[in-house]
Amino acid sequence: MEFEVSYQLDDEQQFWDEIDDIVAARCQSHGLIDDALRSYFAFVSNYKGDYLHTEYDIARCSLKLLDSALFSAHKEYVRRQIIYSLLEEDSPDTLHLIVVLLLFDGRDNEITFEMMNEEGTFLRLVELIYERKDDDAGLHRMLLELLYEMSRIQRLRLQDLILIEDDFIQYLFQVIEGLSDDVNDPYHYPIIRVLLILNEQYMVSAHDPGPDQAPTTKVTNKVIKVLSARGTAFKTFGENIILLLNRESETSLQLLILKLLYLLFTTPSTYEYFYTNDLRVLVDVMIRNLLDLPLSAGPLRHTYLRVLYPLLAHTQLKHPPHYKKDELLRLLNMMTASGGLMEHHFGAVDETTKRLVGRCVCVPWLKKDDDDNHNHPEPGGDDEANEASVAARKLLDVEIPGGMASSLSVVEVTTQRERPGVLTGSRQREEDHDKRDGSAATRPQRSDDDDDGPPGQRLEAAGFPPTLQETSPFEVEGEA
């Protein structure tokens, strides 16, 4: 983008004042809009090293344009010009600003991400992430964020998925492995999310093809392909997605993780991708989450159960000593108990839950010695819970046709989605909240009509606090 702008600036305030003047231009033609945009990008790029020292500064600069009269009056045209700039620009400083502009605008207006998909920016982002990895680290992270955000709200073009190279997927895994000594490194979270969303896109293409996709068109899932061939070299990724599932509260991200886990546990070459200790941690996480999910989270609960079966049946967990056998059986029986405390906790048992729980209790090592357990109720429980548990065992003592169940599950797992930003409820958090407030008041949800507030608040809400970059869910206070 060649457009010379010459200014003599005395201080930082003058820099921000000049930006305000540029974006305040009243343009009556596309030519004038182009001139204003070229002036904006050239000016900011020229002084980026002097006045834009943090991600917060760059985000503030992008909001100057997005909140301007120039953008408000010509949104569609300006968006398209910025997208064209992404496709053509080579300067790292200008690219950084373009990427942040598209990221901020797309988070507020999904039409921006849809327009990017139509214009073929996906492969351009892949190219920039892979070939410009030695450029500014902040730019690289924003490229990863933008690729993830545009991919999670829509179906990617089939021709784009086909053209993703194995080397690109391996590169992402290698970056995570190279950072294995620092789980709080800001690269961990964006790269893991990109791999998760690419896996989902491959699953959608294979099991929920679009109307324009020929039935004979098959797309290889490159994420599973790489882990199948070189999984032993990329163990850190596996450790991190279990850690992420343990701490993630956004429903859509939990589903992304569960979808990948499902494929790993139903693909023979990746049955034993995880370390045994990590699988045990995963069992603990799944038991806790299944107990903690609110009644309204039925589809998410079903997805956990669809993953639980192959986890128990196919991985190293099938070998003695059998981890948490009693706890798993107790949980599964509770989930299908009718009446009393168990139904109050889990709600009325629907047919899908009954079928999925039935599949899990038919895992051979869970069924072993099951008859003995009928005659020995769990100590310490009340009579009502024990009676419900025994009844549930008898109800579920039915074989489930394995092939039919797997065929149904892969489609159900693939098509299960949730809007980005929706948080999964937690019984424990609700109980803690009630104890503090003495009431069952719920946290108010933000609506699309709510005022975004001052720019500073918008920046912090978007993940750019003044002194920190986006907080990773891997970071926990008090942990190294």
Side-chain angles (χ1 to χ4, degrees), residues 119-309:
E119 296 293 343
T121 61
F122 175 80
L123 289 178
R124 171 62 170 164
L125 290 174
V126 169
E127 173 193 338
L128 289 171
I129 290 170
Y130 186 50
E131 296 183 359
R132 308 291 288 273
K133 48 185 176 283
D134 296 327
D135 286 342
D136 178 72
L139 167 60
H140 199 249
R141 190 172 74 91
M142 289 297 101
L143 287 166
L144 290 163
E145 294 281 1
L146 183 58
L147 181 66
Y148 169 73
E149 294 287 355
M150 76 163 284
S151 301
R152 73 168 176 164
I153 60 100
Q154 62 192 322
R155 184 192 298 267
L156 295 176
R157 302 188 308 177
L158 182 62
Q159 60 265 38
D160 290 343
L161 286 177
I162 292 174
L163 291 175
I164 296 176
E165 298 287 348
D166 293 5
D167 288 347
F168 175 69
I169 303 297
Q170 289 191 60
Y171 159 69
L172 296 177
F173 282 120
Q174 287 166 348
V175 172
I176 295 173
E177 203 65 32
L179 301 170
S180 59
D181 294 333
D182 183 9
V183 74
N184 290 328
D185 189 285
Y187 275 120
H188 267 90
Y189 195 37
I191 292 180
I192 288 172
R193 293 196 301 184
V194 166
L195 287 165
L196 291 173
I197 199 65
L198 290 178
N199 174 71
E200 183 189 55
Q201 290 286 345
Y202 285 124
M203 290 183 72
V204 168
S205 175
H207 302 290
D208 185 27
D212 58 342
Q213 182 174 333
T216 57
T217 304
K218 302 297 182 182
V219 181
T220 301
N221 186 329
K222 301 294 180 63
V223 177
I224 298 300
K225 178 182 178 182
V226 170
L227 288 178
S228 295
R230 300 195 59 204
T232 55
F234 302 132
K235 292 285 194 178
T236 301
F237 172 76
E239 298 168 3
N240 282 347
I241 61 173
I242 293 176
L243 181 62
L244 183 56
L245 183 65
N246 184 38
R247 298 176 180 175
E248 184 56 60
S249 59
E250 186 176 357
T251 305
S252 63
L253 263 169
Q254 289 188 55
L255 287 169
L256 288 179
I257 297 168
L258 291 170
K259 289 176 182 182
L260 179 60
L261 291 175
Y262 180 85
L263 284 190
L264 291 174
F265 298 146
T266 56
T267 303
S269 56
T270 55
Y271 280 174
E272 298 189 359
Y273 164 66
F274 292 93
Y275 292 117
T276 302
N277 284 341
D278 291 335
L279 293 175
R280 291 172 177 169
V281 172
L282 180 57
V283 168
D284 291 336
V285 171
M286 297 190 77
I287 290 175
R288 187 204 63 196
N289 288 358
L290 282 167
L291 284 169
D292 193 45
L293 289 175
L295 294 178
S296 60
L300 181 58
R301 183 180 295 108
H302 294 162
T303 306
Y304 270 101
L305 289 171
R306 287 189 171 97
V307 174
L308 182 62
Y309 169 75

